[in-house]
Structures are given as structure tokens and as C-alpha cells.
Amino acid sequence: MQPARILLALAFVVSLACVAAADERKQLAFEVVDHNAQQMTDIGDSLFYFGELGMQEVESVKLLEDTLKAAGFKVEVGGAGMPTNLWAEYGSGRPKIAIVTEVDALPGGSQTPGTYERKPLVQGGPGHMEGHNTHGGVASLAAFAVKQVMARHNIPGTVAVSFGPAEEQLASRPFLVRAGYFKDVDAIIYLHIRDALATGFGVQNYAAISSVFTFHGKTAHGASNPWDGKDAVDAVELMSIGFDKLREHLRPTYRAHRTITFGGIQPNIIPDKGQIWWFVRDASMPAAKETYDKLLKIAEGASLMTGTTWDVKYAASAWPQLVNKAIAEAIQKNIEVVGVPKWTEQEQQFARDFQKAAEKPVVGLRTAPIPLGGRAQSAASNDSGDVSWVVPAGSLNFPSSVPGIEYHEWKAAVTPVSSISHKGQVAGAKVLAASVIDLLTSPELLQKARAEFEVDAKKTPYFSLLPPDAKPDLDLNRGEMEKYRADLRKHYLGKTPRFN
Ligand SMILES: [Zn+2]
């Protein structure tokens, strides 16, 4: 053979060997996931019954901390000023790949699993009507599988898991970014339950800014001496009307909604306090910020018209999620390898009956992964978006819920501990582990992801919406959680999951 041909043949053999090595590593990860599937679903099921709201994820984080510590991870709880923030790591140095997700529940979401009749487990109590409970086990087991592969194959670098508090209130990720958690991270994969095994790329959802405006006036008797009063609720109304006048002049992509959180005491008392809470959203953060700045002017105008003073308190913010195509392509390959779980006829029948009862299309469970393609940008928001503008981000959804059953409704709390959810978690953990392995072991992939990220980040440079003195709201959901914790505790599973 000519030298060039020999080289070519050699390169072919080496690349085959690489593919074989990669397959062997992923195979090991899949075995670790299968071997620990019960432990993983015990985590998700335990978190379901904890039913903890954002910033109050105490039991959930304790269980994850204990599990990850026992699994050989270095675990930090309470970082960035949030007692329920968990960051776990294994390994050292670069590349450093982080799995980013959350485990909070929703108010009023308590439901007896398995039955699609409305039947709260704890009347009025919080519950997992989005299935974030499943994130705990999937992220932890995937990280553990990666750890086992790194140890066996001497793979350098770090695998990290970030459980950020209070995703449902968009309350923690801007603080994590500000605290520098992602400074030395090369890529992240954001994990979320869905009714499908899927990834995507592009800008996936909306930017949001949430603020509470308070007006301060002067109280007086509504009949005897109203001329002495300055009505702070008038200012609230004028702010609302002022924004309605602005709506015509905003981009069609905008969204804005408000609720009056303090509207006076009784008609014959001129209120010296009025309060209105706003969400402003748009397809990009600069566009949302532009509208938000106009909202500030409207507040100023309303206060001028009423002779009141005003202040504004930052409540939350989220950049839209920017999802990397290079990482999506890598994830999609793993999705094709792992495939959708094999559902039993019983599971399919349950899904169809559930869909029928919920008056949704009766289509059953998905039997194939979603092909890779640009997904339409949704108008919802997720605070992990902030992370995706400081580090290249992939996104993975795993099939643990029933198509057509919408989140943020008690119905979505019917299946998070079902066999459907459990099987979906296994598929999710495998794809996640394999994709983290790809990112850890392929400098080309990381380079490609980084180059793509740089273009987007240059076009729209990240800025934080956090006021410099902003602190996480640790009292968020505290009262609500304290009201129900004792009743929820009666349903705790008392399991101690351990990976091996
Ligand atoms: Zn969610």
C-alpha cells in the first residue's frame, strides 16, 4: 500500500476504535442507569410526596444531598445565599459539564397519584403538577453514571449537578450566574420532564421581568375630607390604564400581565397604599427591558397625577433559553440510540382513558422520539435562561408525562410517580449521561458549541436584571409550606436511595 493509503487506513482504524471506545463508555453508563433505576425512581417518588414549593425545598435537597454524597460527589448546599441551592461535583478541572435543573412544586397542586378524579392528597396543599420531582433522580443518576464511566476510563474533567431553587417563581438562576457558578463551566444540559424524548435548539421561550410597584399616598375620610387625601390606589389604576394605552405601540411579540396585590381597605377610607405586580415579557431580553423601562415611566406618571410617591421591588427575571444546535445534534444522536420506552398496553390504555377524561385528543403515549428541528418559541419563561447566555446550553426532555395533559394543573400530578414516569426517567437518565460523556470527551463538540454560542452572545450580550443590592427572597412560599408540611409528612415514603 502507498503511504497515503496506509495512513488513511490507519485513520479509519483509529476512528473505528474511537467509536468503539465511545460506545463502550456509553454502554457502561446505560448499565449503571439500569442497575440503579429503582433507586432513581425512589428519589423522584420521594420528592413527589415532599411536595415542596420554591425556596422551601428542604427535604428534597436533604435527600439529594445525602444521595449524592453517598455516591461520591462533593456537595455544596446553601450557595449564592439560598439554603435550598444544591451544587454537586465529581472530578476536577476542565472540561466541566453541568446538568442544570430544579425540584420545586406548585401551590394547590396536591393530588392523589394514579387517579384522574380530582382528589387532593392534602386538601389545598402544594404538589408536583409539573413533575419537577422526576428531575431529582434523573439528574443525580445520570451524573453518577458519568462518574462511574470517568473513573473506569480515566476521563479527565468535572461533572456537576445544579439544583436551583424556585424555578416556578423564576427566582434563583440570576443569583447563581451572579455568584459565578458557571464561570468555569464549558457547557450545560438543562433537563426537564415532558411528554416526549426530545431536544431542540434556538431561542426556546420568552424573557420575563417581574416587579412589584408600591404607591404611597395620604389617608383621609372618603366623605368628610377627601381633599386632604392622596389616593395610592388611584395611582395603581392609572398605571394599569397607562400601560393599556401603551399596548398599541409595542411589538406584537410582547406580553404583559398584572395583578393588583393591594387595592385599599374599604371605600370610605382613602388608601395611603396601593400595590400592583407586573410581568413584562418579550421574545428577547433587550425587547422586554425596553417595555419595562416604559413601565417605569408610567409608574412615574401615575405618581405625578396623584401626588403619591412610589417604589419598585424587583421580584424575578429570566432570559429566554438559548439552546445550542451543536449540543442538540449530539443529544439527538443519543436519543436515537436510547429510544422511547416500550409502553405496555396497560400504560397506553391508561393514557388514552386519561386523555379522554381530560377532553384531549386520544392519542396515547408517544412511541417515537421527536425528530430534531427548530421548535416554535414559547411565551413561557424559565430562569435557567440566564445560564444559557453565559455558557453553551443543551436541553433535554424525557417522556414521563401524558401528551395533552398540561402542566400547572392538578391533572399533571396524576402521573409523576407512575410506571410511565419511571420508564421515561430511565430513558432520560441514559440520554443525559451519554450526552454529558460526549461533551466531556469530545473537544471538537465543545469547540463547535462554543463558536456557535459566541456568535449569539456577541449579538445579544448578557446583562443581569438583578439590582446590585438584590437578595434572594428566602421567605418565598414559606407561609404556604408551613401551613401544609405536617399533613404532607404523613405521606412521606421514608426511603433512603443509594446508587451502586
Ligand atoms: Zn418546569
Side-chain angles (χ1 to χ4, degrees), residues 359-380:
E359 296 174 344
K360 298 287 178 186
V362 180
V363 293
L365 300 164
R366 289 176 202 275
T367 52
I370 307 256
L372 184 61
R375 191 155 121 193
Q377 188 175 3
S378 102

Side-chain angles (χ1 to χ4, degrees), residues 206-211 213 239-240 242-248 250-259 276-283 287-288 290-292 294-295 298 379 381:
Y206 258 38
I209 307 172
S210 157
S211 282
F213 293 77
M239 190 180 182
S240 191
F243 192 87
D244 283 343
K245 289 286 160 201
L246 177 67
R247 288 184 190 269
E248 185 185 9
L250 296 172
R251 286 179 187 77
T253 47
Y254 93 98
R255 292 278 192 288
H257 18 274
R258 90 279 180 279
T259 186
I276 181 166
W277 179 15
W278 283 89
F279 273 28
V280 170
R281 308 190 203 229
D282 213 315
E290 211 180 292
T291 303
Y292 181 73
K294 288 176 183 162
L295 186 67
I298 289 169
S381 310

